[in-house]
Amino acid sequence: DRKLLRGILEERGGGSFLRGWRRELDPDGSLDISTDEFIWQLKRLGGEGVNVQSLVKIDGDASNLTLTELSPTDGELVDRMRDWIKEKFGDPAAMWDAIDVKQSGSLDREGWSAGCTSSGFDGTAADISALFDFIDVDEGGTISKEEILFLEKDSEARDNAIFKEKMKAKGQTQRLLACAYWTDKNKGIHPSSRNAIRPWMANSFEALPPLVIVKRQLRLREVRKQQRKAKSALLQHLKLNYGSCARAWRRGLDPNGRFAIDKMALRHFCRRCELDVNMQFLWAALDTDSDGKVGVQDIASQGAVALAAFREWCKRSFGSCVAVWEHPAMVKVRSVRQGEGQLNSTKKLLVGLFVETLKALGYTATAEPDAQAELWSALDFFNAGFLSQADLRWLDSWEPPLWLTAEPSEEAWNDVKSRLLEKYGLPLNAWRHLDTDGQNEVSWSEFIAGCRKIRYKGDMGAAWRFIDDDA
């Protein structure tokens, strides 16, 4: 019975018993076949003269027929190859990477034999050649990485590896089709031309995952462009009508001094100013953390940093911003005519004299000149060149976000980064856990939430300021 079945399989395998076994009885490479399926396959192959029961009961288990039962020598050879792969490489994919030295993606019989021999497989040239036939089921003369994955001993790992490789090959095909379609689509060929894309085929191509991703990226790019355009229009309007964005925040956007406005307040402001912008795009550009509020840092980021730094210096040096106004040096400057007699008031102080007095008190500007200009313009409410105690009281009432008052620290950021990588492994995985809304950018609130997930207790503001170089 064995001899009869071997002859049938060798004939079906083009002279190779192992190829015939894979091709006719064991296409998935599990090295066994159930008894019921074996009976059905025998009828298909014309092996009615084979005594099934005498074969399947060789090992005492009549539920299936294994390769070793049918041909102990060939079964031992395949098992030896599987054991060698597991012991030396871990899995067939790693073995392929080792023997495919040219990274060509395919090996012929000579390349397979050379790779196995150089890697230390204990087998004769005939054994290695027989294994090549075992793998090369279609008699194509070459084998690929996907074709050797069935040599994995663990059935679950084998199924997973084969599935992943098939999906990879499927993805490559889809990318090739998408590239060809996209190229033809953008050639500008007239629809009536015989070279034009057929309308009834377009929907199938448009549904290819690579094209879906490209179209989504194009849509997002256009949305981002419109958002930047809307924000730019607003900022230009604020600078033109108020002199600076920081002053515009005080006088136009947030006259009540709440340091936060909602979408409705922004809409009312734009209508009052007859500013023609798309509110949906504008709000999305400003409310980056999607908390339903916009602060001065979203309108005048550099000015907000300078305001927060000045407020922090006042609190650290005198207790509050208002306390600076009551300092004897400030009182003395206000008690005389200011600016060559231009101003005679104890309740107002020229901005230039205010800055000079601050420097005498030890204040050192740490922000860029443009940011400092935003600071003084925010305190100069009327754009008249002077400020009052009310302006400093306004600054005292603000509670800036933590990152505005922090100094950039590379050490803090390195600590956060190391903790993220420790928890999530790869930088991309860490980014995905930070970018919870999938906008490909991380807001301050998302960064804070991410730091809490990794139980970071250090200076989050300093870490944020180090990576947010345009704050």
Side-chain angles (χ1 to χ4, degrees), residues 264-280:
M264 186 63 68
L266 182 61
R267 187 188 301 275
H268 287 166
F269 173 80
C270 292
R271 285 181 177 175
R272 188 168 66 250
C273 299
E274 298 183 353
L275 184 59
D276 185 19
V277 293
N278 185 302
M279 185 53 57
Q280 182 178 354

Side-chain angles (χ1 to χ4, degrees), residues 223-234 277 282 285:
V223 167
R224 298 271 173 84
K225 179 181 177 181
Q226 295 298 328
Q227 289 175 355
R228 290 193 297 269
K229 181 179 177 181
K231 183 176 180 179
S232 177
L234 173 66
V277 293
L282 177 60

